Amino acid sequence: MTQASHHTGTGSAQTDRLLEMYRRMRRIRRFEERASDLYKATEIPGFLHLSIGQEASAVGACWPLGPRDGITSTHRGHGHVLAKGLDSASMMAELMGKEAGTCHGRGGSMHIADPGLGIYGANGIVGAGLPIAAGVATAAKLRAAGDVVVAFFGDGAVAQGMFHEAVNLAAVWDLPVVFLCENNHYSEFSPEAEQHRAPLSARAAGYGIEYQHVDGNDVLAVAQTMTGIVARLRAGGGPVLLEAETYRWHGHYEGDPERYRPAEEVAAAKERDPLLVARRQLDAAAADAVDEEIDKEIEAAIDWARSLPEPAPETLHDYVSAPRVPIPEPAPLPADAEIFRSMDAVRLALEHELTADPTVFVAGIDVGAGGNVFGLTRGLAQAFPGRVRDTPISESAVVGTAVGAAMAGMKPVVEIMYMDFIGVCLDMLLNQAAKLRFMTGGRASMPLVVRTQFGAGRSSGSQHSQSLEAILAHIPGLTVVMPSNPADTYGLLRAAIQDPNPVVFVENRLQYGLKGPKPPADHLIPLGKAKVVREGTDITLVSWSRMVQDALAAAELLAGEGIGVEVIDLRTISPLDRETVLASLAKTNRLVIAHEAVRDFGVGAELAAMAVDEGFWHLDAPVTRVAPPPVPAPYAPSLERVWLPSRDTIAETLRRIAAV
């Protein structure tokens, strides 16, 4: 019998329904009470945020949900995931940091997830679950199977930009998502009145979506309200903002001195204990039997978790990235191949993958009807209805949607219009896409691509010219790709879309018109593999993206002077192909690196460090970088010419190193 079928009938059926709700609330309460004890006894490390007093909103909200429906949670999420069906034993083991925990001890209290049960993660970042929920709901809408998503959040998250972006995107796309605010009236230490001036009802009206309010301490009321909302969403209804008023008994975190609220307020709130509210309608003996049953379950979970080993030291690197299917280096393209442009390569790669894989979809600002600001996606929205989607100007929602949709089994390709705008949505890359596979012990899949572009040299100024690959490459779990020619753009983009890991694919807009030989339709380039694009014996010159073309031009100049420069195109920045660079250095004994990003703390510095560590005994000259100084990209052409390296500045450096 499904949960939903319990909602009909009266008498014993209704009593049975309430008793089961009570059982689930009691499980959450006892789990958290014992977790508090274990934290004080130092058996649980890290941070612990408890939801004692908020059990009814979790159980009532999840009551009408089925296995395929999804939830996203918060740093205070034990109740949500237990209510959705996660077992208490593996959760307790996770809190204790054990290998057999839900996430193999990689996530802990704030990061528990199991997408197989529709649990798309508790989250340590306030508000971050909301854009992810929009992504899970996008996947549900594209599959058209009637699935819904519940995004739990606290009243404090309403102040986050991610709240606005996610709710607005869900409204524009009519997504089947319930934004459920558990309003416990405190944002960490701050009372609600000091955080907001507009009620949630007014906010919902501003987004053009439905608003409902419910007593969050009455599990029957929450379940009844949610049952109606979920039924409407399954029938095609758009998003709903539901406010469940409740109260947390413990502090913001365990150990919180709670100087910000009077003890009388907490005592008064406890008179509306969700478990007592439910018990008043139940037979005392039946409720007592449930208490005894749950107490035994939680104690057994603790005993089992205590007996388990922690993760072995040799497993440190597990779950950072999913294994890649090996892709061989393709054969050289024939001399008489058809010529095409880099912008054609992007469109054709997207078209190929959209055709081949129904789980692929494309989203971004003006990528649909407008065909992208550079015309790269023109015609795709018409060819693939519903799968090439325009978004609001909301970078966090765009990337968060990709994260959620990827965890829900899709392969999203989303566009951030300029690489400079990565800063607007960095959390979704830094703390979500890059880390969720690791923090969930491999339970979360993350096959997504973020396409973006950059390029200095056309007076675009300091906010539209930046080459920020070093920031992204410094984040474990992210793959960063920067092609230098049309054929590689096609082959690398297709490989990125097929890859099981999050990939940031960076194009150079000054190369969109660059022409080169067109590869066959099945052309793929392996990720993480550099390529020697010009053989040489005297100096190794490493570069990537558009600067490869300047490097090749400089090498041609030096060839006329009798100096053989070996040029390596990294193609993938992270993971870095150390072997190819070190093998070339062993042959030439000299290393020069040229890149468009500012010199200090960049990828060139990483290559230099590698050379003086692993390649030290091969070096006959200083490792040298050719790169812009640590100055923002200038607007005036006279300054930009001085700032940006060129064929001639690279050649000058090569001559100097050759003479050492």
Side-chain angles (χ1 to χ4, degrees):
M1 180 179 287
T2 64
Q3 293 172 4
S5 65
H6 281 291
H7 288 272
T8 58
T10 56
S12 61
Q14 190 166 337
T15 301
D16 291 346
R17 177 181 69 155
L18 181 58
L19 189 64
E20 177 57 29
M21 291 180 183
Y22 178 79
R23 176 179 287 105
R24 297 179 189 189
M25 290 194 295
R26 177 67 186 175
R27 178 177 291 115
I28 296 167
R29 174 69 57 86
R30 193 59 187 155
F31 181 95
E32 294 207 306
E33 287 174 343
R34 293 296 284 125
S36 178
D37 297 338
L38 294 166
Y39 186 80
K40 290 170 187 167
T42 70
E43 289 191 67
I44 291 176
F47 297 111
L48 192 67
H49 305 80
L50 302 181
S51 63
I52 292 175
Q54 301 182 186
E55 297 85 355
S57 56
V59 170
C62 292
W63 185 258
L65 302 183
R68 286 205 320 259
D69 297 317
I71 67 167
T72 61
S73 183
T74 70
H75 58 278
R76 200 180 307 285
H78 305 141
H80 308 144
V81 298
L82 283 167
K84 187 61 171 69
L86 202 57
D87 69 288
S88 55
S90 71
M91 274 186 64
M92 191 62 76
E94 182 63 29
L95 265 60
M96 291 185 182
K98 300 302 181 75
E99 175 63 40
T102 307
C103 302
H104 299 293
R106 268 66 172 184
S109 171
M110 287 192 287
H111 308 115
I112 290 177
D114 187 349
L117 293 174
I119 299 167
Y120 294 95
N123 211 297
I125 308 299
V126 173
L130 301 174
I132 293 172
V136 179
T138 300
K141 181 157 186 169
L142 289 171
R143 291 194 179 105
D147 302 335
V148 303
V149 183
V150 179
F152 291 98
F153 64 101
D155 50 287
V158 176
Q160 284 279 2
M162 286 184 284
F163 167 82
H164 163 78
E165 293 191 24
V167 176
N168 187 59
L169 177 73
V172 170
W173 282 3
D174 287 319
L175 296 178
V177 57
V178 183
F179 294 102
L180 199 159
C181 177
E182 294 178 300
N183 187 353
N184 61 29
H185 303 287
Y186 282 92
S187 303
E188 299 193 359
F189 303 162
S190 301
E192 179 186 22
E194 295 178 7
Q195 296 284 302
H196 314 289
R197 287 293 178 265
L200 279 173
S201 56
R203 294 178 186 274
Y207 297 117
I209 66 172
E210 181 184 346
Y211 167 84
Q212 291 198 40
H213 179 278
V214 69
D215 179 356
N217 287 350
D218 184 339
V219 70
L220 281 173
V222 178
Q224 182 178 6
T225 300
M226 279 294 294
T227 299
I229 291 172
V230 168
R232 288 199 298 281
L233 264 59
R234 292 202 199 286
V240 175
L241 182 55
L242 175 62
E243 182 176 13
E245 276 198 80
T246 183
Y247 196 87
R248 60 169 161 86
W249 295 7
H250 283 224
H252 168 56
Y253 56 88
E254 290 303 279
D256 176 3
E258 297 189 68
R259 298 188 182 96
Y260 50 88
R261 60 183 184 180
E264 313 86 74
E265 179 184 296
V266 180
K270 288 183 178 181
E271 294 176 9
R272 285 286 296 158
D273 179 350
L275 275 71
L276 289 180
V277 171
R279 276 189 77 112
R280 292 185 191 118
Q281 302 174 65
L282 291 170
D283 175 73
D288 289 344
V290 167
D291 290 354
E292 184 178 350
E293 169 199 335
I294 294 299
D295 287 353
K296 289 178 180 177
E297 175 191 319
I298 300 303
E299 292 310 309
I302 293 170
D303 291 343
W304 178 72
R306 279 174 171 155
S307 72
L308 299 170
E310 295 180 332
E314 58 269 21
T315 67
L316 172 64
H317 297 275
D318 291 359
Y319 311 117
V320 176
S321 296
R324 292 197 152 100
V325 176
I327 297 173
E329 185 69 36
L333 299 177
D336 60 349
E338 180 185 347
I339 300 299
F340 79 149
R341 301 167 298 175
S342 289
M343 62 189 302
D344 303 321
V346 173
R347 182 179 55 78
L348 289 171
L350 292 173
E351 183 178 53
H352 190 289
E353 295 306 309
L354 283 163
T355 302
D357 189 342
T359 67
V360 174
F361 73 92
V362 175
I365 300 160
D366 293 327
V367 302
N372 165 277
V373 68
F374 299 103
L376 305 182
T377 58
R378 199 165 290 151
L380 293 181
Q382 293 74 30
F384 302 95
R387 293 173 59 204
V388 181
R389 308 175 69 87
D390 284 322
T391 68
I393 302 175
S394 303
E395 284 82 3
S396 289
V398 169
V399 181
T401 293
V403 171
M407 280 201 284
M410 306 298 282
K411 291 183 180 176
V413 183
V414 297
E415 179 181 301
I416 298 300
M417 191 178 288
Y418 283 78
M419 194 179 192
D420 313 72
F421 306 164
I422 288 289
V424 181
C425 58
L426 188 58
D427 176 73
M428 283 294 148
L429 288 169
L430 168 69
N431 286 316
Q432 311 303 328
K435 293 186 173 68
L436 281 172
R437 186 175 196 278
F438 179 79
M439 292 193 303
T440 62
R443 286 181 181 266
S445 60
M446 203 56 60
L448 67 89
V449 175
V450 176
R451 277 188 52 252
T452 190
Q453 56 78 28
F454 79 109
R458 298 285 174 85
S459 292
S460 296
S462 301
Q463 294 180 345
H464 285 74
S465 302
Q466 297 169 93
S467 188
L468 301 174
E469 64 272 19
I471 293 174
L472 300 172
H474 190 70
I475 302 170
L478 282 187
T479 295
V480 183
V481 178
M482 300 181 74
S484 69
N485 61 69
D488 281 6
T489 298
Y490 178 85
L492 287 167
L493 182 52
R494 284 195 58 228
I497 296 170
Q498 295 179 19
D499 197 71
N501 297 293
V503 179
V504 182
F505 191 90
V506 187
E507 301 144 17
N508 189 299
R509 66 177 172 276
L510 273 65
Q511 286 196 305
Y512 281 145
L514 179 67
K515 295 179 180 179
K518 182 180 179 180
D522 62 354
H523 188 69
L524 287 171
I525 301 285
L527 301 182
K529 293 295 293 181
K531 185 179 182 181
V532 176
V533 292
R534 182 187 176 106
E535 299 278 352
T537 56
D538 299 319
I539 304 175
T540 296
L541 173 57
V542 180
S543 192
W544 52 95
S545 192
R546 187 178 69 87
M547 199 63 70
V548 170
Q549 306 303 328
D550 289 323
L552 287 167
E556 186 67 23
L557 280 178
L558 271 289
E561 302 168 21
I563 301 172
V565 178
E566 181 149 296
V567 180
I568 295 177
D569 180 357
L570 281 186
R571 304 192 298 192
T572 300
I573 308 304
S574 177
L576 184 62
D577 183 355
R578 300 169 185 273
E579 293 76 14
T580 297
V581 176
L582 289 170
S584 179
L585 177 59
K587 179 169 65 170
T588 67
N589 309 116
R590 287 169 169 79
L591 178 61
V592 173
I593 305 136
H595 56 76
E596 194 168 318
V598 293
R599 180 190 61 236
D600 293 17
F601 308 103
V603 178
E606 179 63 28
L607 288 162
M610 180 184 73
V612 297
D613 181 1
E614 299 163 65
F616 178 78
W617 300 109
H618 299 303
L619 286 171
D620 289 343
V623 179
T624 307
R625 292 168 289 164
V626 185
V631 172
Y635 168 74
S638 61
L639 297 177
E640 193 173 36
R641 281 193 295 270
V642 175
W643 180 83
L644 190 63
S646 66
R647 176 197 70 172
D648 294 334
T649 54
I650 296 171
E652 182 183 329
T653 302
L654 291 170
R655 291 187 190 101
R656 177 166 59 85
I657 296 303
V660 174

